[in-house]
């Protein structure tokens, strides 16, 4: 499937715009895992070479939009401070299948609880990195079936 | 016109869920002003009687969705901490006319700068409350014309 991986971005870069190394490793692990399952993955920060392009937020947004419209499923990683980008992408993806992924020890924000409660998003709550990958695989496999 | 006024909500309530008094006054001023201009205004916190209903975020979200789909224009108040709800509503309103309203002394977030730069949102940047109301009137009048 074509997976749009929606993630925090502008809050995860240093003053030069470079994505934090630990955060990048976490995302690369998820992307590699999904690609090994045969999925095509679009993830904004990777598309940008892990460096935020401050020069053209408008172009970045239109590219996002194009890839959300083309995806089969939007997987949103939430938890920690609210990401304005992830939340906007969740709205854009209203007619797509949405999987909302959150660490088990962090409460969902009000709006994201609403997405889960209303059935607009499937909820994956994970206890560890391994659990995250295993549950993500299960969630995406159930969509193909 | 039918105006959907998109505003921070769950971050602007006390522990009992009551909307902060000063924040409520600011919103009521904008709502009254728009209604005096002949617009119909939907604003989530007012709809809830200025008290957050923690019991049913799913219902609140579906009501929001219905009113965004029915609106002519979504006016989003941004500035300060990112609101997950406002950002989601901006995505839901992708095919509507959007007016993004921000205080002049606060930079836009990356994604909201993208909305303005790409032409997906009209930008109103205000220096004072009076300026906000005057510019909002101008923006909405230009849509009717």
């Amino acid at each position: 499937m074509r997976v749009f991986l929606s993630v925090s971005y502008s809050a995860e870069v240093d003053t030069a715009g470079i994505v934090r190394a630990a955060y990048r490793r976490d995302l690369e692990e998820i992307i590699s895992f999904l690609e090994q399952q045969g999925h095509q993955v679009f993830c904004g920060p990777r598309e940008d070479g892990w460096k935020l392009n401050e020069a053209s937020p408008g172009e970045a947004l239109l590219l996002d939009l194009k890839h959300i419209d083309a995806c089969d499923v939007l997987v949103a990683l939430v938890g920690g401070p609210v990401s304005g980008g992830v939340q906007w992408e969740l709205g854009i993806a209203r007619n797509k299948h949405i999987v909302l992924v959150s660490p088990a020890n962090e409460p969902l924000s009000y709006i994201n609880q609403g997405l889960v409660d209303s059935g607009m998003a499937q909820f994956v709550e994970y206890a560890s990195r391994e659990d995250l990958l295993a549950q993500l695989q299960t969630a995406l496999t159930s969509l193909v079936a």
Side-chain angles (χ1 to χ4, degrees), chain A residues 29-114:
Chain A
E29 182 189 35
I30 297 171
I31 294 168
S32 296
F33 180 79
L34 293 173
E35 289 178 340
Q36 283 161 21
Q37 312 286 320
H39 301 298
Q40 287 173 256
V41 181
F42 179 89
C43 184
R46 178 174 70 167
E47 192 71 15
D48 291 349
W50 306 101
K51 184 174 188 309
L52 190 68
N53 184 356
E54 288 287 1
S56 56
E59 284 174 33
L61 180 133
L62 292 174
L63 186 67
D64 261 21
L65 198 58
K66 188 179 114 186
H67 282 274
I68 293 174
D69 284 345
C71 81
D72 299 303
V73 55
L74 180 134
V75 174
L77 306 185
V78 300
V82 172
S83 160
V86 170
Q87 294 303 130
W88 178 78
E89 289 163 356
L90 283 165
I92 291 295
R94 68 182 285 183
N95 294 320
K96 299 288 179 174
H97 195 92
I98 294 174
V99 180
L100 196 67
V101 179
S102 173
N105 58 354
E106 298 203 31
L108 286 179
S109 66
Y110 184 79
I111 195 85
N112 290 343
Q113 189 64 56

Side-chain angles (χ1 to χ4, degrees), chain A residues 116-128:
Chain A
V116 172
D117 289 357
S118 66
M120 288 185 71
Q122 180 179 352
F123 189 32
V124 164
E125 195 179 20
Y126 64 90
S128 67

